Amino acid sequence: MRHPAQRNRLSTELRSLWHLAWPILVGQLAYVGMAVVDVAMAGHASAQDLAGVSLGVSIWNMLMLTVMGITMAINPVVAHHVGAGKLEEIPHKVRQALWKALGIGLLGLMLANLAGLLFDHLSLEPRVHDLAKDFVLITSLALPLFACYRVLYGYSTSLNQTKPLMVIALLSLALNIIINWLLVFGKLGFPRLGGVGCAWATLLTVIFNLVALIWWMRRSAVYRPSWPFAHFEAPHWPEIKSLLKLGLPIGVTYFAETSAFSLISLLIAKFGSTQMAAHQIALNFTSLVFMVPLSLGLALLTRVGQSLGAGDPTRARYQAWVGVALGLGFAAVSATLIAVFNQQVASAYTNDAAVVALTAQLLLLAAFFQLSDATQVITSCAIRGYKVTRAPMLIHMTAFWLIGLPLGYTLGLAPAWMPWAPAHPMAAQGFWIALVVGLTIAALGLTALLRRVARSRLR
């Protein structure tokens, strides 16, 4: 039996981790809710509005998540200083991270508009083409502001201040709904913009997030010992280079994942609306479930980083594995529920019998990868708490791009030139089987890496 002291230590760590994670989870779900609102509002405007917004959102999500990954370098940096009790060193780091974020956001703005030129080479209806390009143009203006917000988000999280982020996210969701309603449908005298109204709603909510967080930080005493806006500071290129070295691999990792899923969606589209609808429904539901291990991982990054900053690698290793165990426990429950209620989940999204049947099959595959998906995101966050980012990037790229996508291409499309391809294309199911394989490889690789990194820090 476990000694009472060990049980108390475990219980204390679980409570501390969950206390930090649950506001992050609520906030993440609120941000997912904004995307759902955009699609729902555009869908009620017209089918063309829905198509244009969906294309624009695909570009926005890819660049937004990449920018978010690059700015995450501030999380372990601030967490280490908090653990070491060196709060006076934090303002300089945050100011330089904001300069880096501004540059990355402006680069993202240019890339977004270049990516929008892809719509000129697709066979799109004129209305859909124009709406998609307008959506990308408007939302691209939000990228520099979003990048700065994510730096302050990471700074606040690393100070154990996650509840303000939750409150702001919930207010943003409410604001997003109101602005969408006003601009998409032209209510209360506002112009009826259709899908373009969703783009303006996204831009305005990003501005709100940044202003609201700075206002909250300015009024809260918790931030005063490390207040980053006490004075102006010019860019310090060695510091920015150091932050880029830490953050770029995270951004590349996020890009590899999001682009892989986007490419899978494009490849499945050739099999018709039933396959595409089932894939999107299953992907939407599993993305919601994924928010729990992601939130645990972000909280764990702070816990591990603070322990390492305090010079306690033994506690950091213990916290990392407790976080992994908690994530696995949740994944076991979610896998069981998805497997048991897959038909009911599919039916909640659509009444189309063919789509329901295929979605239920895909959700069974999703149940298989719950354990590996939770493991890979939590272990990767724990490793980032050690300020190790390049090796996780290589593992993710290998799992998704070198193994997952080629396997999905082989199983899903069954090209005739491949002698080992199946006799008939497996369509969406083939790609989801590849996702199970890719996520499992990532989970195994990252678990081994966490074990090695934790041991090396002990030595």
Side-chain angles (χ1 to χ4, degrees):
M1 291 181 63
R2 192 181 292 274
H3 191 276
Q6 292 177 314
R7 288 200 300 270
N8 289 337
R9 183 188 183 194
L10 176 60
S11 176
T12 300
E13 179 56 36
L14 288 172
R15 284 198 305 270
S16 298
L17 181 60
W18 182 245
H19 179 76
L20 197 60
W22 78 262
I24 298 177
L25 172 60
V26 175
Q28 292 293 128
L29 291 174
Y31 287 124
V32 172
M34 291 182 206
V36 173
V37 169
D38 283 348
V39 172
M41 293 280 190
H44 280 86
S46 75
Q48 291 177 322
D49 284 283
L50 176 58
V53 168
S54 298
L55 286 170
V57 165
S58 65
I59 301 293
W60 162 255
N61 281 342
M62 194 179 304
L63 287 168
M64 179 264 292
L65 288 170
T66 303
V67 167
M68 185 178 79
I70 296 173
T71 58
M72 275 182 66
I74 196 63
N75 294 54
V77 170
V78 173
H80 277 240
H81 285 312
V82 171
K86 298 179 179 179
L87 299 182
E88 71 280 358
E89 296 187 19
I90 294 175
H92 167 68
K93 301 288 186 181
V94 175
R95 286 192 288 265
Q96 295 307 311
L98 287 169
W99 279 117
K100 184 196 76 169
L102 186 60
I104 293 296
L106 290 172
L107 179 61
L109 185 155
M110 291 186 288
L111 290 175
N113 286 281
L114 287 175
L117 297 177
L118 292 173
F119 301 142
D120 296 337
H121 303 283
L122 299 177
S123 299
L124 301 173
E125 298 176 40
R127 163 71 177 157
V128 174
H129 169 273
D130 294 343
L131 200 157
K133 291 197 75 170
D134 288 344
F135 188 98
V136 170
L137 172 64
I138 295 166
T139 55
S140 68
L141 300 174
L143 283 171
L145 302 173
F146 174 78
C148 293
Y149 167 73
R150 289 305 302 194
V151 167
L152 299 179
Y153 182 104
Y155 160 64
S156 185
T157 300
S158 299
L159 291 177
N160 299 319
Q161 298 301 305
T162 55
K163 289 183 181 179
L165 306 174
M166 175 189 71
V167 173
I168 291 171
L170 290 172
L171 291 174
S172 293
L173 175 59
L175 181 64
N176 183 264
I177 293 172
I178 294 170
I179 297 174
N180 267 304
W181 180 72
L182 292 174
L183 297 183
V184 173
F185 304 113
K187 301 293 184 178
L188 302 180
F190 283 86
R192 181 184 173 92
L193 301 179
V196 175
C198 298
W200 284 110
T202 299
L203 174 60
L204 292 172
T205 50
V206 168
I207 295 172
F208 170 79
N209 284 339
L210 181 60
V211 172
L213 183 53
I214 293 174
W215 177 85
W216 190 305
M217 289 165 49
R218 189 71 183 87
R219 293 177 61 86
S220 175
V222 176
Y223 300 94
R224 287 173 192 164
S226 58
W227 179 241
F229 299 111
H231 61 84
F232 175 81
E233 184 178 286
H236 184 247
W237 299 114
E239 189 69 58
I240 292 174
K241 183 179 178 181
S242 175
L243 289 167
L244 279 172
K245 186 178 179 181
L246 194 61
L248 273 176
I250 306 176
V252 172
T253 299
Y254 278 37
F255 176 78
E257 291 186 36
T258 54
S259 60
F261 278 98
S262 297
L263 184 56
I264 287 173
S265 297
L266 291 174
L267 293 173
I268 290 174
K270 66 174 290 184
F271 293 103
S273 58
T274 298
Q275 292 278 337
M276 191 64 185
H279 168 71
Q280 291 296 341
I281 290 171
L283 188 59
N284 177 266
F285 182 76
T286 53
S287 296
L288 287 174
V289 177
F290 178 72
M291 290 300 108
V292 177
L294 174 61
S295 301
L296 288 173
L298 292 173
L300 186 61
L301 192 162
T302 297
R303 299 282 296 165
V304 170
Q306 289 179 355
S307 294
L308 291 170
D312 194 347
T314 302
R315 185 174 66 184
R317 183 175 69 167
Y318 178 78
Q319 290 169 331
W321 291 118
V322 167
V324 172
L326 181 59
L328 284 173
F330 166 79
V333 173
S334 65
T336 302
L337 293 175
I338 291 172
V340 172
F341 296 106
N342 61 328
Q343 290 282 349
Q344 288 83 349
V345 171
S347 299
Y349 277 87
T350 179
N351 294 321
D352 189 304
V355 176
V356 168
L358 182 55
T359 302
Q361 294 174 17
L362 297 182
L363 287 174
L364 282 177
L365 292 171
F368 275 105
F369 69 57
Q370 289 303 298
L371 292 173
S372 56
D373 202 13
T375 302
Q376 65 89 18
V377 69
I378 292 175
T379 50
S380 63
C381 285
I383 293 166
R384 288 166 191 157
Y386 283 87
K387 294 186 178 180
V388 175
T389 58
R390 187 173 300 176
M393 174 192 72
L394 295 175
I395 291 172
H396 274 107
M397 292 188 71
T398 300
F400 283 102
W401 279 94
L402 297 184
I403 297 174
L405 273 178
L407 179 62
Y409 182 84
T410 303
L411 298 178
L413 302 182
W417 55 270
M418 278 189 174
W420 54 85
H424 303 287
M426 298 175 69
Q429 286 178 298
F431 284 101
W432 279 70
I433 290 171
L435 285 176
V436 174
V437 174
L439 286 168
T440 302
I441 291 171
L444 292 172
L446 289 165
T447 301
L449 178 62
L450 175 59
R451 183 169 177 266
R452 182 169 65 85
V453 169
R455 279 187 171 185
S456 67
R457 190 57 61 92
L458 282 173
R459 290 196 295 267

